[in-house]
Amino acid sequence: MPEIREITSSAIFRRIGTHSHIRGLGLDEKGKAKPVGDGLVGQLEAREAAGIVVKLIREGKIAGRGILFVGPPGTGKTALAIAIARELGEDTPFVALSGSEVYSSELSKTEVLMQALRRAIGVRIRERRLVYEGAVKELKVRRIRHPLNPYVLVPRESRLKLATKDDELTISVGEDITTQLLQLGVKRGDLIWIDAETGRVHRVGRVKGVEKARYYDIEATRYVEIPSGPVKKEKEIVHVLTLHDLDLMYTAQRAAFTVLLGFGVEKEISSEVRKEVDKQVKKWIEEKRAEIVPGVLFIDDTHMLDIESFSFLSRAMESDLAPIIILATNRGIARIRGTDVESPHGIPLDLLDRLLIIPTKPYKPEEIREIIKIRADEEEIVLTDEALEELVKIGNETSLRYAVSLMEPARVLADSEGRDAVTVHDVRRAKGLFIDISQSVKYLREFEDKFLRM
């Protein structure tokens, strides 16, 4: 039990991902795609088709089928898969996998795919727990000298004053909870709740109007209403685990018992464990304590899979507990790996029959312009109009990915010369330092005799 005693009486690291700007599919109420919406640009037909897929998923009418995005490189196939997951809700598990990742030296192909499938299926569990919930009005941390290094102070315990609209309570918490409070950056004015049984701390957001709390015009934390009722109360806790998380929990329990008996620990999860997990989940569902959250398994470079993997996926689509499987490839007619048979996209025809195929098309210059503007805003890069047009020209002549990848080097070059905005000079200089594919091929041909051969 965590130690909780009731007492009566800035630098932020931020990593910007390639698709961090995507919020959804950008459709209107009638399912029509906006030219620019939710971070997506163009691909109107593909986005409207993806919107229909989302409706089918919500209605539970896509069982036994999957989705296949086909199109040239850099046409937004991964972006559309992420957008589908965002449309389904923030709790929707999204697992991205490359076709080459299934070939592991430690796990079989089917085990890698099975783990990916079960990571893409969530279980929303509801339970009532005793918690301490309220806005932080006071936080005092007591530190002691580290037992191994007397020059370092470590947190020992803390004193918290939590308040709601109707109640106020001061509690003293132990070292574990104090460490969590410091790691989460909890400060006066934050709304938190602490699980009285496990000691886990949850930071919900900020509450306005707390005395002596500091507020800023621009804050990343969302603002919430202060709760009513007592600070110490029973609360319905909702958390989402994946089937793979539950598999690992059951496996860990069995592994501890196996080690005691002197047996080795298996790296793959046995089918017996998964059957037990499925049985337990179904029991929770019958008791109204849990519900299934179907997620998205996105497999890029699908042509890298072999005939055995394709056979496994065909069977997986028919399972009762199966996520939405979305495949993507940029191949045309290609050989099915593991056979001498050629097929569209390198995928067996019997699996293609099970897929709803959505094509993506190359972007037009005006669409490239909007995408570059969105990425510049996301990465907080200021572009002059001339620099923007130069990047659009590069993206149209080479590739969108290459144009986007030049923005950060161009920003560094602008910073080195003391300018806040990226100019066309910076873009051209970055282009000269970092060549594109066509320039790389030209370079190889020019110095072909200098390179080593196998």
Side-chain angles (χ1 to χ4, degrees):
M1 289 286 290
E3 183 183 352
I4 303 176
R5 299 193 306 273
E6 296 181 22
I7 301 176
T8 56
S9 192
S10 138
I12 301 174
F13 174 78
R14 184 167 65 114
R15 183 181 185 275
I16 300 175
T18 306
H19 301 100
S20 58
H21 61 281
I22 296 173
R23 307 288 180 262
L25 287 170
L27 306 176
D28 61 18
E29 297 79 8
K30 297 182 179 180
K32 297 294 183 181
K34 304 173 185 176
V36 180
D38 291 338
L40 292 180
V41 178
Q43 304 296 349
L44 303 183
E45 295 84 357
R47 286 159 58 195
E48 290 175 6
I52 294 174
V53 169
V54 170
K55 290 182 180 179
L56 291 173
I57 293 170
R58 287 173 174 165
E59 294 174 1
K61 296 181 179 179
I62 200 169
R65 288 178 289 182
I67 313 300
L68 173 64
F69 286 113
V70 296
T75 53
K77 298 183 290 295
T78 303
L80 287 170
I82 294 173
I84 289 175
R86 300 273 164 85
E87 288 284 345
L88 292 173
E90 60 180 14
D91 287 341
T92 302
F94 179 82
V95 179
L97 189 71
S98 172
S100 60
E101 292 181 45
V102 303
Y103 304 103
S104 168
S105 59
E106 297 183 349
L107 302 174
S108 65
K109 291 175 287 188
T110 54
E111 176 65 16
V112 173
L113 288 171
M114 178 60 81
Q115 290 188 14
L117 286 165
R118 293 179 74 82
R119 286 204 309 271
I121 304 172
V123 182
R124 186 181 288 116
I125 303 172
R126 306 176 187 273
E127 54 184 340
R128 298 198 67 81
R129 305 290 283 270
L130 182 64
V131 301
Y132 293 85
E133 181 182 35
V136 178
K137 296 189 70 175
E138 183 181 306
L139 174 59
K140 294 182 179 180
V141 179
R142 185 172 76 87
R143 291 179 168 85
I144 62 172
R145 296 187 184 277
H146 194 285
L148 301 179
N149 187 348
Y151 300 102
V152 176
L153 296 177
V154 294
R156 176 60 177 174
E157 63 179 4
S158 58
R159 180 189 180 98
L160 268 173
K161 182 182 286 187
L162 301 177
T164 65
K165 292 180 179 178
D166 310 310
D167 190 20
E168 190 173 292
L169 182 65
T170 302
I171 60 176
S172 175
V173 297
E175 182 179 344
D176 291 341
I177 297 178
T178 301
T179 301
Q180 291 183 66
L181 292 171
L182 295 176
Q183 289 175 345
L184 292 172
V186 173
K187 53 185 178 295
R188 191 172 298 175
D190 286 346
L191 177 63
I192 67 170
W193 60 268
I194 304 172
D195 191 322
E197 181 179 341
T198 64
R200 187 177 178 185
V201 180
H202 298 260
R203 184 168 178 260
V204 181
R206 295 278 288 166
V207 175
K208 287 191 175 181
V210 175
E211 185 180 359
K212 296 183 181 180
R214 294 182 179 180
Y215 300 96
Y216 302 94
D217 293 336
I218 300 176
E219 287 191 277
T221 306
R222 65 188 179 113
Y223 282 91
V224 294
E225 292 290 330
I226 188 169
S228 57
V231 172
K232 184 179 180 181
K233 57 190 172 186
E234 275 200 349
K235 179 183 177 74
E236 184 182 66
I237 308 301
V238 180
H239 48 96
V240 178
L241 297 174
T242 67
L243 289 181
H244 183 63
D245 293 333
L246 297 173
D247 292 343
L248 292 177
M249 291 169 58
Y250 275 70
T251 301
Q253 295 172 2
R254 291 181 51 148
F257 181 72
T258 302
V259 170
L260 288 175
L261 295 179
F263 297 105
V265 179
E266 296 182 1
K267 294 182 179 179
E268 296 191 0
I269 299 174
S270 67
S271 58
E272 290 79 9
V273 167
R274 291 192 170 111
K275 288 179 181 178
E276 286 296 321
V277 170
D278 293 347
K279 181 179 178 181
Q280 183 63 54
V281 169
K282 289 178 180 177
K283 180 180 178 182
W284 287 341
I285 293 173
E286 292 172 357
E287 295 173 352
K288 308 297 184 184
R289 293 176 52 196
E291 58 183 315
I292 293 293
V293 183
V296 174
L297 172 59
F298 174 64
I299 304 179
D300 202 1
D301 295 327
T302 307
H303 53 272
M304 294 294 294
L305 298 177
D306 60 11
I307 189 66
E308 296 173 0
S309 302
F310 286 128
S311 177
F312 179 85
L313 288 176
S314 295
R315 182 67 181 271
M317 289 180 186
E318 299 177 351
S319 172
D320 293 335
L321 289 176
I324 293 84
I325 299 175
I326 300 180
L327 312 177
T329 180
N330 53 26
R331 291 297 192 273
I333 303 296
R335 183 175 62 85
I336 302 172
R337 189 166 181 168
T339 72
D340 295 325
V341 179
E342 289 191 342
S343 177
H345 316 301
I347 301 174
L349 293 177
D350 58 339
L351 178 58
L352 282 173
D353 284 341
R354 297 175 178 268
L355 303 175
L356 293 173
I357 303 175
I358 302 175
T360 58
K361 302 174 183 178
Y363 289 107
K364 301 174 183 177
E366 57 270 20
E367 295 171 342
I368 294 176
R369 181 179 295 103
E370 291 299 327
I371 294 172
I372 291 176
K373 288 166 64 176
I374 290 172
R375 288 306 304 172
D377 289 340
E378 183 73 11
E379 299 179 22
E380 298 180 355
I381 298 175
V382 180
L383 300 173
T384 63
D385 293 340
E386 294 79 8
L388 175 60
E389 292 306 317
E390 183 68 16
L391 287 170
V392 172
K393 178 183 176 183
I394 293 171
N396 190 44
E397 293 176 351
T398 57
S399 71
L400 174 61
R401 289 175 177 170
Y402 177 61
V404 171
S405 66
L406 286 179
M407 290 197 298
E408 278 294 349
R411 180 195 60 79
V412 172
L413 292 172
D415 287 344
S416 65
E417 296 184 7
R419 284 182 278 100
D420 294 331
V422 174
T423 66
V424 66
H425 169 72
D426 301 319
V427 174
R428 288 172 179 170
R429 189 178 171 198
K431 184 176 183 291
L433 295 172
F434 302 95
I435 61 177
D436 60 41
I437 296 175
S438 61
Q439 292 173 306
S440 179
V441 172
K442 182 180 178 181
Y443 172 77
L444 288 174
R445 289 174 177 171
E446 183 179 355
F447 298 98
E448 185 175 2
D449 58 331
K450 304 292 184 182
F451 284 90
L452 297 178
R453 294 178 178 274
M454 294 296 293

